[in-house]
Amino acid sequence: MTGRLVVLGLGPGPAGMLTPDAAAALAEATDLVGYIAYLDRVAVRGDQVRHASDNRVELDRARAALRLAQQGRHVAVVSGGDPGVFAMASAVFEAIEAGPASWRALDVTVLPGITAMLAAAARLGAPLGHDFCAMSLSDNLKPWPVVLRRLAAAASAGFVIALYNARSRARPDQLGVALMALRDILPPTTPVAFATAIGRPDERLDIATLAAADPDLADMRTLVLIGSPETRLIERPGARPWLYTPRGIAA
Ligand code: SAH
């Protein structure tokens, strides 16, 4: 058997947001590799081997997956959302780059998934209709001053900003610091959306102004969207307002 490694994303949660290609790759795999919480979302068959690991061991997990592929297994490496967005695909390539030359000959495929930013934006309306960027607020893999510098640059440049890893138990205070920094740059009325556990039974959407945005509305399953000066709300009677960014700005 010739080995194969597929890095795929499960989407934000619901089965309908898993692509048919990713579902087919899961069905064809002999071995499923991933963070426990993501593998728990996959119906693993009796003839498939599950290799669940803890969070934060991405590189070890990637190397283990590459070794399995080299042994001839059909390996699916599973991420939430899209595997290329703050997830396993880069860890696999970091491992290949630093690993034995033979790993470069392996059959490696990356299959896209619906990332949290897109799922959250669709629920809210169309906040990404003009220029936007995505950032991880975590300082696990970059220094905190770099996070603040990029955030300020993106806000000053007029981008809508999608913040991944906005808050965790280990980093309870950084989102508050980030919001304070943004208040020096953006109008107080700038909309801020907290999209939590999108696609799950406990999904929650909160919309606030930048002036009133409460970091306690975020946890480790929250995508925070910071509007641009053009981002606005369309109020609706008895329903959550739509959040959108017009397609263009005046010259
Ligand atoms: N690869 C994933 C992102 C991994 S980083 C993707 O493409 O979506 C983990 C962060 O993603 C979380 O801290 C949160 O900010 C965001 N996230 C993941 N799933 C989410 C969901 N269902 N709803 C809202 N945000 C989510």
Side-chain angles (χ1 to χ4, degrees):
M1 185 165 70
T2 314
R4 188 162 74 204
L5 192 152
V6 180
V7 197
L8 61 86
L10 298 173
M17 291 199 202
L18 176 73
T19 70
D21 279 0
L26 285 171
E28 286 163 16
T30 58
D31 294 72
L32 299 167
V33 174
Y35 170 42
I36 307 163
Y38 295 142
L39 283 185
D40 283 348
R41 285 165 48 189
V42 178
V44 181
R45 292 190 313 265
D47 63 324
Q48 292 178 311
V49 187
R50 188 183 132 119
H51 307 264
S53 41
D54 213 338
N55 211 353
R56 289 232 204 165
V57 291
E58 287 92 354
L59 211 49
D60 290 340
R61 189 188 299 141
R63 288 193 204 100
L66 286 157
R67 282 193 290 269
L68 284 167
Q70 196 159 39
Q71 289 160 20
R73 313 288 295 176
H74 289 183
V75 186
V77 176
V78 174
S79 285
D82 177 274
V85 178
F86 310 123
M88 282 305 295
S90 287
V92 166
F93 291 116
E94 285 171 28
I96 290 174
E97 190 177 31
S102 57
W103 282 359
R104 299 183 183 216
L106 288 172
D107 177 359
V108 175
T109 308
V110 182
L111 295 177
I114 296 179
T115 188
M117 173 181 72
L118 298 183
R123 283 281 199 272
L124 291 160
L128 306 178
H130 191 66
D131 296 343
F132 64 88
C133 69
M135 277 186 61
S136 169
L137 204 69
S138 168
D139 64 346
N140 288 339
L141 297 168
K142 64 192 170 208
W144 179 245
V146 171
V147 176
L148 285 181
R149 201 163 66 227
R150 289 185 181 169
L151 195 60
S156 308
F159 289 113
V160 169
I161 307 168
L163 291 178
Y164 287 78
N165 298 313
R167 194 147 183 249
S168 73
R169 268 191 297 262
R171 299 179 296 104
D173 302 324
Q174 290 174 338
L175 177 60
V177 175
L179 290 172
M180 286 299 281
L182 289 170
R183 287 183 187 119
D184 290 339
I185 300 168
L186 293 167
T189 50
T190 304
V192 175
F194 296 83
T196 300
I198 297 303
R200 317 278 176 75
D202 52 343
E203 170 175 314
R204 236 185 78 185
L205 291 164
D206 297 287
I207 300 176
T209 61
L210 178 57
D214 178 0
D216 283 346
L217 289 170
D219 63 24
M220 62 183 298
R221 300 163 316 146
T222 305
L223 189 287
V224 179
L225 262 179
I226 314 286
S228 75
E230 280 73 38
T231 304
R232 60 194 74 170
L233 298 174
I234 300 179
E235 298 292 346
R236 297 191 290 162
R240 200 179 54 244
W242 284 311
L243 181 69
Y244 95 107
T245 308
R247 290 167 299 143
I249 56 170

